[in-house]
Amino acid sequence: DAMVIQNPRYQVTQFGKPVTLSCSQTLNHNVMYWYQQKSSQAPKLLFHYYDKDFNNEADTPDNFQSRRPNTSFCFLDIRSPGLGDAAMYLCATSRDAGEETQYFGPGTRLLVL
Amino acid sequence: GESVGLHLPTLSVQEGDNSIINCAYSNSASDYFIWYKQESGKGPQFIIDIRSNMDKRQGQRVTVLLNKTVKHLSLQIAATQPGDSAVYFCAVSSRSGGSYIPTFGRGTSLIVHP
């Protein structure tokens, strides 16, 4: 049974056209994360929510925003996608903020034309 | 900040051999270490973890070794199978502002030849 679900699995958007990626979880975990992963590279943390508290990484571009309307859902909004934003976007959860295992979704691959 | 590196970007082995994937980290205060396996087109999947109060932990066909003195950890896979072919990441956590945020290493691509 899928525990961290990401939709869509593949997303094509046009340069500058806003796009939203979604993530949902059935684990009732407190923490949700968004990562960007480019080809052959490690996942790069963009931001995370501890419950409703939003934590932005210092080098995350302003172009990237996130919303967490409830425990189960988290969204990644890219306001004006550039060609350099084409990547795999991974959502992850953890039960708490501590020595906790992260559970990853399958990712959404974003293509910017 | 933490920097995490892997020693080899690619490791090729024969089916049945043992595989060893290495990872180095920089922050001596790091105290939680995780290995993930990522297959093509999928998200990372937890394999095994270890805390800083241990130096070895075993799972099914996998062993993680932690050497805090030289800030090094390794993942050993016994009797490697074609299904083990994937990219392996180590992730290292340090307490930051009260929460553990893991830093991922670059990944080692394991190729298992039948």
Side-chain angles (χ1 to χ4, degrees), chain A:
Chain A
D1 292 333
M3 296 181 290
V4 182
I5 303 159
Q6 290 189 246
N7 285 306
R9 294 294 311 278
Y10 300 91
Q11 176 73 58
V12 180
T13 191
Q14 292 178 330
F15 183 93
K17 185 175 181 180
V19 66
T20 295
L21 310 182
S22 72
C23 177
S24 63
Q25 54 130 340
T26 60
L27 298 163
N28 202 34
H29 282 175
N30 285 323
V31 191
M32 296 187 77
Y33 309 80
W34 278 105
Y35 287 87
Q36 180 193 66
Q37 186 178 30
K38 296 190 176 180
S39 182
S40 303
Q41 295 185 19
K44 177 182 181 297
L45 182 66
L46 296 172
F47 23 61
H48 74 280
Y49 275 93
Y50 182 81
D51 195 10
K52 294 181 180 178
D53 292 334
F54 177 72
N55 299 271
N56 197 36
E57 292 301 294
D59 57 354
T60 297
D62 292 339
N63 198 26
F64 291 85
Q65 304 286 320
S66 185
R67 296 170 284 135
R68 189 179 184 186
N70 54 53
T71 300
S72 301
F73 285 87
C74 196
F75 299 99
L76 170 61
D77 301 309
I78 308 176
R79 292 191 297 186
S80 182
L83 298 178
D85 296 327
M88 174 77 88
Y89 290 87
L90 295 164
C91 174
T93 73
S94 64
R95 186 174 59 90
D96 209 337
E99 294 181 344
E100 297 285 346
T101 301
Q102 289 179 308
Y103 295 84
F104 283 83
T108 294
R109 184 163 294 282
L110 178 68
L111 180 62
V112 181
L113 301 179

Side-chain angles (χ1 to χ4, degrees), chain B residues 23-106:
Chain B
C23 182
Y25 61 97
S26 63
N27 187 352
S28 57
S30 298
D31 47 16
Y32 182 51
F33 308 87
I34 317 108
W35 282 101
Y36 289 95
K37 171 186 180 183
Q38 187 175 24
E39 295 175 278
S40 181
K42 298 182 179 180
Q45 179 185 9
F46 171 87
I47 302 172
I48 192 168
D49 60 359
I50 189 168
R51 288 169 170 75
S52 58
N53 61 348
M54 303 173 69
D55 53 22
K56 180 179 180 179
R57 191 167 187 217
Q58 287 184 293
Q60 186 178 12
R61 286 201 303 118
V62 294
T63 300
V64 55
L65 298 177
L66 175 63
N67 185 330
K68 294 181 289 294
T69 302
V70 296
K71 298 196 281 291
H72 178 274
L73 72 157
S74 66
L75 175 70
Q76 300 179 2
I77 305 173
T80 314
Q81 302 168 0
D84 295 326
S85 294
V87 178
Y88 289 81
F89 293 97
C90 65
V92 178
S93 289
S94 308
R95 186 172 291 277
S96 171
S99 66
Y100 283 77
I101 303 298
T103 298
F104 279 78
R106 288 196 61 187

